[in-house]
Amino acid sequence: MQNYGFQACGVDGAYLAFDIKEEEVPEFVKSMRLLNIQGCNVTMPNKTAAAQNMDELSPAAELIGAVNTIVNRDGKLYGHITDGEGFVANLKDHGIGVEGKDIVIFGAGGAATAIQVQCALDGAESISIFNPKDPFFARAESTAEKLSKETPDCKVSVFDLADEAKLKEEVANADILVNATLAGMKPHEELTLIKDKSMFRPDLVVADVVYNPAETRMVKEAKEAGCKLAIGGKGMLLWQGAAAYKLYTGLEMPTAEYQKFQEENENK
Ligand code: NAD
């Protein structure tokens, strides 16, 4: 996608994959300065180590303590995280804003935290986080604590996913319901965190971050129940990449042309 954007916009660049181990991140970051690499993306498990080696962090990256995009400006390295931005941009592309909205989010891992922070920064009214009582639960509590200081106008609450009555109550009051867990992702296609389908209402927006499969069971059932919008994670993937592209080139990714190109070449 990045190489497509470079070609389409006449940028003299190449996007390459490098296999870097977590303990090698500081050395890689140094080589970005040495080789004058203009930017890069960082994926799991290197996002936290990368954040610890930046000269400056964006507000979202600072709050999350992770970066997925690095921009090199004259040897100074800026760390950003575009996962949350990609999620919000994808909703916007479907005509939905997060400002003033009540949002229920499943998950407390990397994707979920990025979405929670971005939605709070973008003016969501409230965020209710549901997660199993696994090791990620404490991260949800820590996110809620940080956001209560940084974005006090957004009310953030954390609940045990096992509390079905609370989940029903929160979803009934929500504008947007998001799954940002592994539920529904291959090989867990049969798993949905909405067991009671009567929770879906026509005015509820349902979004999944899972993009494999493109349509999860939760999204499929939300569509069948008549929710006004039910979308999978492919659009978020596109928009987080487009946001990274803009950060290192200053240009808009030709997303519509790229999507057409991708559809035409998907099965080749
Ligand atoms: P992670 O490992 O950081 O977090 C996993 C989360 O899932 C945790 O909150 C955990 O408690 C929860 N979980 C795991 N098993 C569960 C179960 N059986 N029931 C309920 N909750 C469960 O993972 P991540 O990096 O945040 O990725 C989560 C999902 O988001 C993956 O499917 C990934 O592909 C997707 N993702 C999509 C995009 C995109 O652009 N669309 C970007 C990043 C991640």
Side-chain angles (χ1 to χ4, degrees):
M1 175 175 150
Q2 304 296 342
N3 282 322
Y4 178 93
F6 293 156
Q7 272 189 15
C9 301
V11 174
D12 183 12
Y15 188 87
L16 306 166
F18 295 100
D19 194 3
I20 310 291
K21 294 185 183 65
E22 202 173 354
E23 61 273 20
E24 295 167 340
V25 168
E27 219 177 318
F28 171 74
V29 161
K30 269 192 208 158
S31 72
M32 280 190 78
R33 294 191 185 94
L34 181 68
L35 302 174
N36 199 21
I37 294 171
Q38 290 300 292
C40 75
N41 285 122
V42 182
T43 191
M44 296 304 288
N46 292 342
K47 292 180 175 183
T48 308
Q52 288 160 354
N53 285 276
M54 294 296 99
D55 296 312
E56 221 170 275
L57 292 172
S58 71
E62 177 96 55
L63 274 166
I64 298 163
V67 312
N68 77 338
T69 305
I70 303 175
V71 179
N72 181 359
R73 295 264 178 267
D74 302 322
K76 195 169 173 190
L77 300 181
Y78 298 86
H80 301 262
I81 186 142
T82 63
D83 288 329
E85 250 178 85
F87 175 82
V88 170
N90 186 36
L91 277 188
K92 196 171 161 206
D93 191 44
H94 287 86
I96 308 291
V98 297
E99 196 180 343
K101 298 286 164 54
D102 294 305
I103 305 174
V104 169
I105 305 183
F106 294 126
T113 307
I115 293 170
Q116 288 147 13
V117 167
Q118 195 64 44
C119 288
L121 289 171
D122 288 355
E125 177 80 19
S126 74
I127 297 174
S128 303
I129 305 171
F130 283 84
N131 206 71
K133 284 255 175 147
D134 62 11
F136 286 95
F137 196 84
R139 189 165 174 190
E141 291 177 317
S142 148
T143 303
E145 202 184 311
K146 282 187 202 163
L147 291 176
S148 71
K149 292 190 189 102
E150 297 298 325
T151 55
D153 291 342
C154 177
K155 182 174 174 270
V156 183
S157 320
V158 182
F159 304 104
D160 182 357
L161 181 63
D163 189 346
E164 286 178 25
K166 194 70 200 166
L167 177 62
K168 222 172 174 171
E169 186 188 321
E170 292 296 311
V171 174
N173 291 321
D175 302 296
I176 303 171
L177 170 69
V178 186
N179 173 46
T181 71
L182 304 180
M185 181 180 154
K186 270 188 182 166
H188 311 290
E189 292 103 314
E190 272 315 298
L191 196 58
T192 172
L193 301 184
I194 296 289
K195 307 230 163 24
D196 177 357
K197 287 191 252 177
S198 72
M199 283 194 235
F200 294 128
R201 328 175 303 269
D203 62 338
L204 183 69
V205 168
V206 176
D208 210 318
V209 303
V210 173
Y211 52 83
N212 186 18
E215 188 172 278
T216 57
R217 181 173 163 195
M218 185 186 81
V219 168
K220 188 169 168 279
E221 290 181 349
K223 274 186 187 167
E224 285 166 1
C227 289
K228 70 175 174 188
L229 180 69
I231 48 172
K234 256 187 152 175
M236 171 181 167
L237 191 63
L238 173 81
W239 289 104
Q240 61 83 25
Y245 179 81
K246 187 163 187 187
L247 285 167
Y248 25 74
T249 64
L251 302 168
E252 295 293 339
M253 165 70 72
T255 45
E257 292 94 315
Y258 174 70
Q259 274 173 302
K260 196 163 165 266
F261 168 82
Q262 197 186 25
E263 275 161 27
E264 285 166 3
N265 291 279
E266 208 156 31
N267 299 319
K268 283 188 185 165

